[in-house]
Amino acid sequence: MHPVFHHIGIVGAGTMGSGIAQVFAQRGYTVSLCDLAAGQLEKALSTVGKNLRSDLDKNRINAEQREQTLRNIQTFSDINALANSDLIIEAVSENFESKKEVFVSLDQTCSDHTILASNTSSISITQLASVTQRGDRVIGIHFMNPVPVMKLVEVIRGVHTSGDTVATAIDLLRDLDKVAVVVNDSPGFVSNRVLMPMINEAIFCVFEGVGTVEAVDSVMKLGMNHPMGPLSLADLIGLDVCLDIMETLYTGFNDSKYRPCPLLKKMVAAGCLGRKSGQGFYQYSQ
Ligand code: CAA
């Protein structure tokens, strides 16, 4: 447990928010998880419960640890309930306007010492910080999906982020047994500047009939030793998230090399968002 930061707030109880809630709660932090949709909060608690059940079945935790972790997570629909948190991680949809609303509101209600972090995959931390009066205490803390499994957390330093804020983020992540890699603010940072164009290119291969979905994934899995193919990974991340990130790269750099594949746009318009909607490049039973 971090010596000072004990109370973690999380805004957005989707896939990432629930994973982040789980890893902090497992380490004994008090977690306040906030979402406007009650159904989303229920789903998040159910996912955490299921993950902990799996850990229990594998004898990695005991029943008391499972119960305590669940007790460490409280849910709220009012963002003001997070005001006394030491660190708040925003994990709402990958859209600047939605995130801006959250940051403006948190900046007004939170204690002076509260660090405001975004789990954004690609949006500028400097721009988010600019809507607050605490640019030195705004940072990117970008977890990877699935959060309980992936070691890496990309820590993004905005122009005004202080050294103390970066050091606190690194200490907290070390306590979660994660490895923090610090990078500077730029569209897509490092992770998605490298990953997303690869996924987008894989979609172009299908769009242009160069290979089937299975062929493209097999080439990358068996030929490059990736744990899953890029199209399967796109389904895991969510095709809407992939499109949002490509749009951020495209507009952020004004460079046509980042143009999203028309097939990606079409699938998102059709509601084929990957695992979460039951249909993406592959079909999933809900
Ligand atoms: N939540 C919690 N745990 C999960 C999980 C989930 N959603 N999915 C899998 N796991 C756990 C399993 O329980 C299993 O745990 P144990 O080894 O402790 O038993 C372990 O992960 C391995 O799972 P499986 O055996 O079922 O399957 P696998 O070996 O194929 O691994 C995987 C699954 C971990 C997802 C692996 O395929 C993988 O690493 N894929 C790549 C994931 C990746 O690249 N993530 C980054 C995405 S990019 C991103 O997140 C950033 C962004 O901004 C878009």
Side-chain angles (χ1 to χ4, degrees):
M1 172 78 76
H2 190 278
V4 181
F5 282 64
H6 298 160
H7 191 164
I8 310 298
I10 298 167
V11 186
T15 308
M16 299 306 285
S18 69
I20 297 167
Q22 179 183 328
V23 293
F24 274 106
Q26 275 187 292
R27 289 294 297 168
Y29 290 86
T30 301
V31 176
S32 299
L33 179 61
C34 171
D35 200 295
L36 290 175
Q40 199 62 50
L41 289 168
E42 270 171 41
K43 202 168 147 196
L45 288 181
S46 149
T47 303
V48 173
K50 221 161 55 185
N51 287 343
L52 296 173
R53 162 69 51 196
S54 161
D55 283 344
L56 181 65
D57 291 345
K58 291 171 192 163
N59 287 324
R60 294 200 178 123
I61 56 172
N62 60 38
E64 171 48 25
Q65 286 167 321
R66 178 175 186 271
E67 290 312 310
Q68 185 56 55
T69 299
L70 289 170
R71 276 198 299 272
N72 287 345
I73 304 176
Q74 292 174 325
T75 57
F76 301 93
S77 57
D78 180 2
I79 200 168
N80 294 321
L82 272 55
N84 291 322
S85 306
D86 300 312
L87 164 73
I88 301 182
I89 303 179
E90 165 278 311
V92 304
S93 56
E94 194 61 8
N95 165 296
F96 179 72
E97 290 305 319
S98 313
K99 290 182 187 294
K100 178 180 165 184
E101 208 177 302
V102 170
F103 272 75
V104 166
S105 164
L106 291 174
D107 187 44
Q108 283 165 0
T109 54
C110 288
S111 322
D112 268 357
H113 82 283
T114 307
I115 291 179
L116 302 183
S118 176
N119 181 58
T120 178
S121 328
S122 59
I123 291 173
S124 167
I125 297 304
T126 307
Q127 217 181 332
L128 284 173
S130 74
V131 305
T132 74
Q133 305 298 317
R134 60 177 86 205
D136 57 326
R137 280 151 292 144
V138 173
I139 191 167
I141 301 186
H142 179 209
F143 288 82
M144 303 292 131
N145 184 10
V147 177
V149 180
M150 306 302 284
K151 274 275 179 205
L152 173 76
V153 180
E154 196 175 31
V155 170
I156 303 107
R157 198 169 22 205
V159 167
H160 298 295
T161 310
S162 71
D164 278 355
T165 300
V166 173
T168 302
I170 293 173
D171 285 348
L172 279 162
L173 294 168
R174 191 181 298 125
D175 191 41
L176 298 184
D177 207 20
K178 300 288 186 194
V179 176
V181 174
V182 182
V183 303
N184 290 318
D185 195 16
S186 176
F189 319 128
V190 170
S191 57
N192 280 315
R193 180 154 174 194
V194 176
L195 174 68
M196 265 323 138
M198 181 195 71
I199 288 177
N200 196 46
E201 211 54 38
I203 301 172
F204 266 113
C205 286
V206 174
F207 180 61
E208 292 170 3
V210 182
T212 61
V213 168
E214 291 76 10
V216 171
D217 271 357
S218 294
V219 166
M220 298 307 288
K221 259 182 82 166
L222 305 178
M224 282 73 186
N225 253 1
H226 288 196
M228 62 206 301
L231 301 168
S232 176
L233 182 56
D235 278 357
L236 174 75
I237 293 167
L239 301 193
D240 51 342
V241 177
C242 294
L243 178 57
D244 286 340
I245 296 170
M246 284 311 296
E247 298 279 15
T248 302
L249 290 169
Y250 187 49
T251 53
F253 289 111
N254 283 318
D255 189 333
S256 63
K257 78 177 176 181
Y258 297 112
R259 74 196 185 286
C261 177
L263 176 60
L264 175 61
K265 287 180 156 182
K266 191 159 131 186
M267 290 179 73
V268 172
C272 300
L273 307 181
R275 285 193 195 194
K276 62 185 166 190
S277 74
Q279 173 75 56
F281 290 101
Y282 299 89
Q283 201 149 14
Y284 304 87
S285 55
Q286 286 292 10

